[in-house]
Amino acid sequence: MEGFKKSILASLWFMFLTLPIMGVFVNTIDKSVTWHLDRVLYVGAAAFVLSFLWRYMLDRKEKGRKEEEASSVEKVTLFNKLVSNPKFYLPGMVAVAVFAIAFPKLFSMYQVNVMTTALIYVVLGLGLNIVVGLAGLLDLGFVAFYAVGAYSYALMNMYWGISFWMALPLGALLGAFCGILLGFPVLRLRGDYLAIVTLGFGEIIRLILENWGEFTHGPSGISNISRPEFFGLAKGFVAQVNFMYYLMLALVLFTIFVVNRLKNSRIGRAWQALREDEIACQAMGIDKMKTKLLAFSLGATWAGMVGVVFAAKTTFINPASFTFLESAIILSVVVLGGMGSILGVILGALMLILLPEYLRDFSEYRMLVFGATMVLVMVFRPQGLVRDVRKKIDISSVKKALGGAHE
């Protein structure tokens, strides 16, 4: 009943605010006033319905959170049941693989190009997920490593004629080197201070690229960057677009495999311990310096590698492609998908990049709909689209193992 009253008050308030804008039309020529109260009533009805639904969903969310806190048993969702059952996820993986391989045959070149861009952000999100999601280090300058990879290939191709396949590992190595270069000054920083320093690092790289015109061509950028060649198969514009798509698909699979192995390895456990409690992590004998440097360098490796692919895909780059907005988008991919979750980052990247493209039918309202969708997701799924499942330790099994060891 309380929510019903608040929704009525919200609708009346919206009607009062929109009355001078939508309810009154003044004709200065005829000196007449026309009333459109029906429009104001529509606004009031819409405000009432949306306010009532919003409060209802917030109440449901709060009740679910309290029940989850009160229950000691971990809640098993339908999604977790499907993922843990081979009868469901194996056919699903096969269907996704077939769809991904046949994608260029099913859709237009424009759709393939957009999907390639989405896959680029998948790799960038997985790379930043190492730093932010696993190690818990807030990095707002991740785009700097992306720019290093792109400019490394563009400059090496322009000055020395180095091919794409030689530049791909070199871009990854340069990205890792810059990650270590950033990691040393921030070893003692956490939270907001770390975010400010990484933001400054990203701006330093962008300003160097923009002002060192004799070497990087400054704001004019670098054009005519060579596309990759593969035994003469990628000839023609359409074939090159399809080849870049399959190349990014292979790179995404390789990234998922490596990041998943890292997550479940000893260094992955050290990153997660560092994320949960840095002091306790150091007290347990984990080398904090090496752990942070590894997180920064490995995350930057993927950014440098995919930067090379980006330069080859667009054949033109300039510093305007690597602003803070790009870092914010990559961070949004990780937060929206679910920090620490590989599947969540993939879904977050696809949603964040593909949704604005498929909302173009809404014309000038598409970004409004997109923003409203993001707000709804973050309000009702603050943990992300897919929550990172943390494995719980069975104390009884630990006691048995320790007892067996003593015997």
Side-chain angles (χ1 to χ4, degrees):
M1 191 64 182
E2 185 68 24
F4 187 79
K5 292 180 180 179
K6 289 182 178 179
S7 298
I8 291 178
L9 289 176
S11 65
L12 292 175
W13 179 246
F14 269 93
M15 290 170 67
F16 173 74
L17 291 177
T18 56
L19 178 62
I21 303 172
M22 302 179 64
V24 181
F25 178 74
V26 179
N27 192 334
T28 57
I29 298 175
D30 298 336
K31 296 182 180 181
S32 61
V33 178
T34 306
W35 295 89
H36 294 285
L37 297 180
D38 54 336
R39 298 179 182 178
V40 180
L41 291 175
Y42 293 151
V43 170
F48 173 79
V49 173
L50 292 176
S51 175
F52 188 79
L53 288 175
W54 181 265
R55 296 180 192 282
Y56 174 74
M57 293 172 72
L58 284 178
D59 290 340
R60 286 285 303 271
K61 176 189 171 185
E62 187 64 23
K63 289 180 182 178
R65 186 183 64 81
K66 290 180 179 179
E67 290 176 359
E68 188 175 351
E69 289 178 355
S71 177
S72 59
V73 182
E74 185 179 358
K75 186 179 179 181
V76 180
T77 62
L78 178 62
F79 178 78
N80 291 333
K81 289 181 180 179
L82 294 177
V83 170
S84 60
N85 192 342
K87 293 182 180 179
F88 293 102
Y89 76 78
L90 286 179
M93 290 177 63
V94 172
V96 170
V98 172
F99 176 77
I101 294 172
F103 190 86
K105 303 293 183 182
L106 300 175
F107 296 93
S108 65
M109 186 178 62
Y110 168 75
Q111 301 288 346
V112 174
N113 204 19
V114 171
M115 183 59 72
T116 305
T117 303
L119 294 177
I120 287 175
Y121 278 92
V122 168
V123 177
L124 288 171
L126 290 172
L128 185 60
N129 192 41
I130 294 175
V131 184
V132 178
L134 296 181
L137 305 171
L138 183 56
D139 188 354
L140 294 180
F142 194 70
V143 73
F145 312 121
Y146 186 34
V148 166
Y151 266 89
S152 65
Y153 173 50
L155 293 172
M156 287 188 294
N157 181 259
M158 182 177 64
Y159 288 113
W160 302 297
I162 292 179
S163 66
F164 170 83
W165 300 107
M166 290 181 63
L168 194 62
L170 291 175
L173 289 175
L174 285 172
F177 173 75
C178 290
I180 295 173
L181 198 65
L182 171 64
F184 271 110
V186 301
L187 288 175
R188 296 180 180 273
L189 299 179
R190 287 184 291 179
D192 300 337
Y193 303 101
L194 175 63
I196 292 171
V197 172
T198 54
L199 174 61
F201 180 79
E203 286 300 301
I204 288 171
I205 296 295
R206 186 185 64 82
L207 290 173
I208 289 174
L209 297 175
E210 192 165 348
N211 292 295
W212 197 4
E214 299 174 356
F215 184 61
T216 64
H217 291 193
S220 301
I222 302 173
S223 58
N224 297 323
I225 303 172
S226 301
R227 290 181 178 270
E229 297 180 358
F230 191 72
F231 301 109
L233 297 177
K235 288 185 177 181
F237 184 71
V238 177
Q240 288 175 346
V241 170
N242 292 340
F243 178 73
M244 293 303 299
Y245 166 78
Y246 286 118
L247 177 64
M248 276 310 306
L249 190 62
L251 188 58
V252 166
L253 294 176
F254 176 67
T255 306
I256 293 172
F257 173 76
V258 174
V259 172
N260 186 55
R261 298 286 292 179
L262 283 172
K263 182 180 178 181
N264 297 320
S265 66
R266 178 178 293 180
I267 184 62
R269 302 289 185 186
W271 285 335
Q272 294 173 60
L274 186 71
R275 176 189 65 191
E276 298 299 329
D277 194 324
E278 190 170 319
I279 297 175
C281 171
Q282 195 171 7
M284 293 298 293
I286 297 174
D287 193 332
K288 186 174 68 173
M289 183 181 73
K290 290 183 179 178
T291 306
K292 284 188 176 182
L293 288 178
L294 270 173
F296 277 115
S297 61
L298 287 174
T301 299
W302 301 110
M305 189 182 301
V306 81
V308 175
V309 179
F310 172 75
K313 172 182 176 291
T314 58
T315 68
F316 170 79
I317 58 171
N318 66 348
S321 302
F322 309 102
T323 59
F324 169 71
L325 180 61
E326 290 297 314
S327 287
I329 291 174
I330 301 168
L331 183 61
S332 300
V333 165
V334 177
V335 176
L336 178 66
M339 290 193 292
S341 172
I342 295 176
L343 178 60
V345 170
I346 296 171
L347 294 178
L350 295 177
M351 181 177 180
L352 202 63
I353 304 304
L354 297 181
L355 193 59
E357 294 297 327
Y358 291 114
L359 289 175
R360 287 190 181 275
D361 291 338
F362 291 95
S363 187
E364 64 268 19
Y365 299 105
R366 72 185 182 96
M367 296 312 295
L368 179 63
V369 176
F370 176 71
T373 305
M374 295 297 103
V375 170
L376 289 174
V377 170
M378 295 315 299
V379 168
F380 298 106
R381 293 288 297 179
Q383 71 275 19
L385 294 175
V386 180
R387 181 185 296 180
D388 183 29
V389 180
R390 301 177 186 178
K391 296 180 180 178
K392 295 183 178 180
I393 300 175
D394 188 1
I395 301 299
S396 60
S397 63
V398 173
K399 289 181 178 179
K400 288 180 182 179
L402 290 175
H406 285 302
E407 290 176 2

